């Protein structure tokens, strides 16, 4: 199947932005002509327009594909956001509360997760009673930061978001007084993008490369749109190594924020090198040991994530069942209608903190 063919078999996921609307309002406006589907599969297989209310992520629906939702008033006014179900997992799993203080979105553009964080903060604390919370949204690429700014404005989260235009998260000093109240960080760094629907996964690339060896030249795009030429399996391994080392560096940087108690790490990669292996290396790092960072175990996760059945790969977690079960995966082509994705949460209670490096 080509990319367009593969996309056609998937529903269109729509997140309702609690800052501007509600599911109830959208059911009687944007989706008034839609029949309610009892199963996700019906959204793509039954004739006509169908809508399915997601049982895992709050404020999320799946609708029949092929209808250009970007032409709707609800989209133009930021009431709905077009975001794959799996891409909603990180902010939902982070579950920022008013007691968590300020929040960081380390790699923010185009802003799906920044605006999701804002929507969750608003729902947990609609009155902003005590102290208003800030989302620090960093984006290294200035052009992409402009897209982020636009999305944040349309979604109604501008007043609570401080955008770091062209700001490299690794250059941000965790001990800067501005960040003293940062209790939760969401990390969604650049990755191979191999979980994106319509893209070759790495195993598929491996197969193609081994079939035509030297003559094969494959242009791959990561999830930021950057292109790399892959000619051999060695190129592929080197690319994954570079990505995972960058991802681990970012995660360890996030671990250093003095008041941080919660971190999520996510990719839209299917490859364990970018996923469980990064989690395992982070847990074994000096900063994790010194500051008491642990995996957020499944039984402490928000209800929809606890119930989500697809978990981390045990063999990539070196047999640590708590870590594997704490990790959340999603797979393309398994009938659940989502992209390939990975997310893990980390937690600490602070008692262990003995001055991180
Ligand atoms: N979280 C975004 C969303 O849900 O809309 C998607 C983020 S995308 C996977 C990764 C982003 O991180 C890219 O826009 C990339 O330019 C940015 N990025 C990469 N390295 C960065 C760094 N060191 N500091 C800040 N942003 C970075």
């Amino acid at each position: 199947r080509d990319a367009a063919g593969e996309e056609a078999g998937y529903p269109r996921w729509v997140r309702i932005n609690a800052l501007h609307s509600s599911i109830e309002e959208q059911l009687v406006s944007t989706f008034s002509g839609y029949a309610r589907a009892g199963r996700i599969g019906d959204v793509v297989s039954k004739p006509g327009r169908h809508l399915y209310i997601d049982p895992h992520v709050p404020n999320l629906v799946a609708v029949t594909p092929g209808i250009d939702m970007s032409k709707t008033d609800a989209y133009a006014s930021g009431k709905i956001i077009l975001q794959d179900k799996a891409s909603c997992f990180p902010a939902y799993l982070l579950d920022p509360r008013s007691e968590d203080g300020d929040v960081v979105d380390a790699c923010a553009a185009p802003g799906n997760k920044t605006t999701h964080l804002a929507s969750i903060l608003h729902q947990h604390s609609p009155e902003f009673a005590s102290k208003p919370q800030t989302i620090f949204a960093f984006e290294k690429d200035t052009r992409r930061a402009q897209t982020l700014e636009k999305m944040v404005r349309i979604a109604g989260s501008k007043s609570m978001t401080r955008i770091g235009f062209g700001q490299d998260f690794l250059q941000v000093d965790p001990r800067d007084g501005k960040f003293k109240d940062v209790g939760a960080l969401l990390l969604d760094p650049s990755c191979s993008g191999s979980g994106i629907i319509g893209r070759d996964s790495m195993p598929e690339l491996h197969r193609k490369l081994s079939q035509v060896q030297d003559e094969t030249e494959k242009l791959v795009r990561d999830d930021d749109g950057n292109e790399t030429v892959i000619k051999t399996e060695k190129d592929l391994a080197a690319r994954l190594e570079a990505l995972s080392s960058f991802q681990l560096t970012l995660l360890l940087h996030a671990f250093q924020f003095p008041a941080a108690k919660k971190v999520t790490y996510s990719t839209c990669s299917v490859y364990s090198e970018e996923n469980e292996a990064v989690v395992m290396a982070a847990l074994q790092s000096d900063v994790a040991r010194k500051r008491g960072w642990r995996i957020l175990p499944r039984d402490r996760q928000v209800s929809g994530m606890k119930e989500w059945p697809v978990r981390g790969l045990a063999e990539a977690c070196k047999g640590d069942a708590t870590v594997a079960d704490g990790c959340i995966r999603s797979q393309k082509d398994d009938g659940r209608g989502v992209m390939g994705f990975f997310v893990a949460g980390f937690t600490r209670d602070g008692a262990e903190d003995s001055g991180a490096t």
Side-chain angles (χ1 to χ4, degrees):
R1 273 186 301 174
D2 60 11
E6 191 177 21
E7 276 159 27
Y10 283 82
R12 167 45 90 190
W13 291 98
V14 180
R15 179 168 66 76
I16 288 115
N17 177 16
L19 279 155
H20 281 331
S21 188
S22 63
I23 289 223
E24 294 72 26
E25 185 191 63
Q26 289 306 307
L27 287 180
V28 296
S29 52
T30 313
F31 303 116
S32 62
Y34 286 65
R36 284 282 274 280
R39 295 179 319 125
I40 183 69
D42 292 349
V43 165
V44 282
S45 64
K46 285 197 166 174
R49 295 180 175 199
H50 286 81
L51 173 144
Y52 174 77
I53 298 186
D54 188 68
H56 297 106
V57 179
N59 294 321
L60 183 71
V61 298
V63 297
T64 304
I67 301 148
D68 191 353
M69 300 302 299
S70 68
K71 297 271 185 334
T72 60
D73 290 345
Y75 178 80
S77 57
K79 291 184 174 185
I80 61 169
I81 285 162
L82 307 180
Q83 184 173 0
D84 189 279
K85 171 170 175 169
S87 157
C88 298
F89 288 176
Y92 177 47
L93 180 68
L94 189 68
D95 190 33
R97 304 261 162 177
S98 51
E99 60 270 26
D100 294 322
D102 296 335
V103 181
V104 160
D105 185 350
C107 300
N112 289 305
K113 297 177 188 75
T114 318
T115 54
H116 193 192
L117 287 169
S119 176
I120 293 171
L121 287 183
H122 172 74
Q123 286 204 295
H124 283 331
S125 158
E127 310 305 328
F128 294 123
S130 48
K131 182 181 172 291
Q133 289 168 276
T134 298
I135 301 170
F136 294 99
F138 302 110
E139 175 49 56
K140 190 171 153 182
D141 181 313
T142 324
R143 193 181 45 81
R144 287 173 65 91
Q146 279 159 9
T147 311
L148 167 68
E149 200 274 333
K150 187 175 168 207
M151 185 166 184
V152 163
R153 183 164 30 82
I154 294 171
S157 32
K158 196 172 174 186
S159 62
M160 62 177 107
T161 309
R162 297 243 306 258
I163 297 179
F165 283 90
Q167 175 72 62
D168 181 342
F169 175 63
L170 289 173
Q171 301 302 318
V172 169
D173 179 3
R175 289 194 159 60
D176 186 321
K178 282 202 286 283
F179 308 122
K180 70 176 181 3
D181 294 326
V182 169
L185 297 95
L186 184 150
L187 253 96
D188 187 44
S190 308
C191 72
S192 63
S194 48
I196 295 173
I197 295 165
R199 296 272 179 92
D200 272 343
S201 70
M202 294 291 187
E204 285 158 350
L205 273 183
H206 272 298
R207 192 175 43 75
K208 285 183 186 168
L209 288 170
S210 62
Q211 275 169 1
V212 207
Q213 271 308 337
D214 299 340
E215 289 102 275
T216 309
E217 187 170 300
K218 184 88 184 145
L219 197 64
V220 294
R221 254 184 318 139
D222 64 23
D223 62 338
D224 306 341
N226 298 321
E227 292 179 334
T228 316
V229 175
I230 303 271
K231 285 187 181 170
T232 64
E233 296 211 20
K234 231 168 104 192
D235 291 347
L236 207 54
R239 183 173 132 76
L240 273 180
E241 169 131 16
L243 281 168
S244 59
S245 135
F246 154 77
Q247 290 154 346
L248 177 62
T249 308
L250 275 153
L251 184 48
L252 298 186
H253 195 66
F255 278 177
Q256 304 201 30
F257 281 68
K261 296 278 164 56
K262 294 173 167 181
V263 168
T264 59
Y265 168 76
S266 52
T267 73
C268 53
S269 164
V270 299
Y271 238 34
S272 63
E273 281 87 339
E274 297 180 83
N275 298 330
E276 290 88 348
V278 172
V279 168
M280 290 301 288
L283 289 170
Q284 285 154 7
S285 67
D286 287 347
V287 60
R289 285 174 208 266
K290 276 188 191 137
R291 304 208 66 214
W293 284 105
R294 301 180 306 275
I295 193 84
L296 177 66
R298 185 172 184 172
D299 60 5
R300 285 186 45 203
Q301 293 174 3
V302 282
S303 61
M305 293 293 86
K306 203 186 296 182
E307 282 153 24
W308 176 256
V310 193
R311 315 304 295 191
L313 302 177
E315 61 275 27
C317 297
K318 302 186 179 117
D320 187 326
T322 308
V323 177
D325 210 34
C327 294
I328 293 157
R329 268 184 177 261
S330 61
Q331 280 156 7
K332 298 193 257 192
D333 282 332
D334 69 354
R336 294 186 174 89
V338 293
M339 70 194 295
F341 203 82
F342 176 89
V343 60
F346 300 88
T347 180
R348 64 186 274 273
D349 56 27
E352 302 89 340
D353 204 338
S354 59
T357 49

